[in-house]
Structures are given as C-alpha cells and as structure tokens.
Amino acid sequence: MLSKLHFRSILKHASPLASDFSESRPDPATKVCAEWLDRHSDQRKLAERWQKLETFLMREHNLFQLSEPQLADYVEAAPLDVLSDRLDELYALNKKLLGRISKSEAMTTHGLSSKLLVALALVHPDENKEVHTLLQSILRDIEPNVPTNYACNVNPPS
C-alpha cells in the first residue's frame, strides 16, 4: 500500500492538474481519438447489420445447416463475408491506432475526455461493470455534458 507521502509525491509529478489544460493549444490526442471513435462507431454499426442478417438467415434458411454451395444460392448471405472482412479490417486499424492514442499526450480537457471515451468503449459494461461505471464517472467529473453511453456513437466533445 502506498503511504500518503509517497502518493502525494506521485501526484505532485504526474497529476494532470499540474499540466496546463488550456483549451487554446491544439491537442494531438483529440484527433487520434476522434479517428478511433469514428471507426469504432462504424464497427458497431457493421456488427449490428451482420448480426441482423445472420439472425434472418438462421430463422428463414437454417443458416448453420447449409453447405457452402447451398449458402451461395442465397443472395442475402453474400454480404456476410463482406461485412466480416470489413469488421476485421476496422479492428486491425483501430488496434494500431490504440498504440498512438496511448502514446499521445492529452493537453486539454477535450483531449483527456477523448482518451477516456476510447477507454470507455473498450471496457464493455457486461464484462466489467465496475470499471465501466468508474470511467463514466471520471468522464462526467471532467466534462459533465459528455455522453458516456457505451455506444460512443457521438464524436468527442467539441
């Protein structure tokens, strides 16, 4: 356990409050986070389309009982592979971008909020409710009007 003295020395040197979070400087974290969040939103929309299509094919055509040639006969099934490939591509791009986000320094509250929105999107509430709720709380403390829903369909605050 950290002693109070040791904890205070960490805060003194690493606290974001010690940084100048003036809104007048450009924030490198904001741009990279906005790109990640936009791509993440696209992933969620594509995954929802894929899920609806798969559900339809299961219900109407018993999807998992069909062979490859039989499945090819259904025009509705063609987008599954396209959607799946695009989802894989977006995932790979965002995985690379996550490294840049981690290395970027938030210089404004907007940049800090953007990084927290990325973290919030990565921690699904069904997988870790406590951490998800904590991140939402921190984000609300920093910028009370920022939507903190998991979907992150909105861009970072402006």
Side-chain angles (χ1 to χ4, degrees):
M1 183 179 271
L2 291 174
S3 70
K4 287 183 183 180
L5 183 59
H6 182 66
F7 185 69
R8 284 188 186 130
S9 70
I10 291 172
L11 284 178
K12 183 178 178 183
H13 297 291
S15 173
L17 297 176
S19 300
D20 178 20
F21 275 108
S22 70
E23 299 292 332
S24 61
R25 294 185 294 166
D27 192 330
T30 302
K31 183 178 178 184
V32 70
C33 289
E35 185 180 343
W36 191 97
L37 289 164
D38 284 345
R39 202 174 284 140
H40 180 72
S41 178
D42 290 346
Q43 282 178 280
R44 291 183 54 81
K45 290 172 190 171
L46 287 174
E48 188 176 307
R49 283 181 50 202
W50 187 88
Q51 186 177 22
K52 286 178 181 178
L53 182 56
E54 183 185 55
T55 300
F56 168 79
L57 290 169
M58 286 187 314
R59 186 180 62 244
E60 299 297 323
H61 304 294
N62 204 8
L63 173 68
F64 296 118
Q65 301 301 317
L66 299 175
S67 66
E68 289 287 328
Q70 289 172 320
L71 188 60
D73 290 340
Y74 292 103
V75 116
E76 300 97 337
L80 280 177
D81 286 336
V82 173
L83 290 171
S84 183
D85 290 345
R86 181 64 180 148
L87 282 167
D88 290 344
E89 180 183 324
L90 291 173
Y91 174 81
L93 290 169
N94 262 6
K95 188 174 180 180
K96 287 181 185 176
L97 203 54
L98 195 55
R100 285 185 40 213
I101 292 170
S102 297
K103 292 175 185 172
S104 68
E105 182 180 342
M107 301 173 83
T108 63
T109 55
H110 180 79
L112 186 59
S113 295
S114 297
K115 289 178 85 169
L116 282 168
L117 280 170
V118 169
L120 187 63
L122 290 169
V123 178
H124 195 282
D126 292 341
E127 295 171 7
N128 199 329
K129 178 75 172 164
E130 294 80 16
V131 172
H132 188 80
T133 303
L134 175 62
L135 288 170
Q136 286 177 317
S137 172
I138 294 167
L139 194 52
R140 279 191 305 270
D141 289 345
I142 294 169
E143 291 197 52
N145 297 324
V146 173
T148 58
N149 61 330
Y150 169 71
C152 292
N153 289 330
V154 294
N155 285 327
S158 46

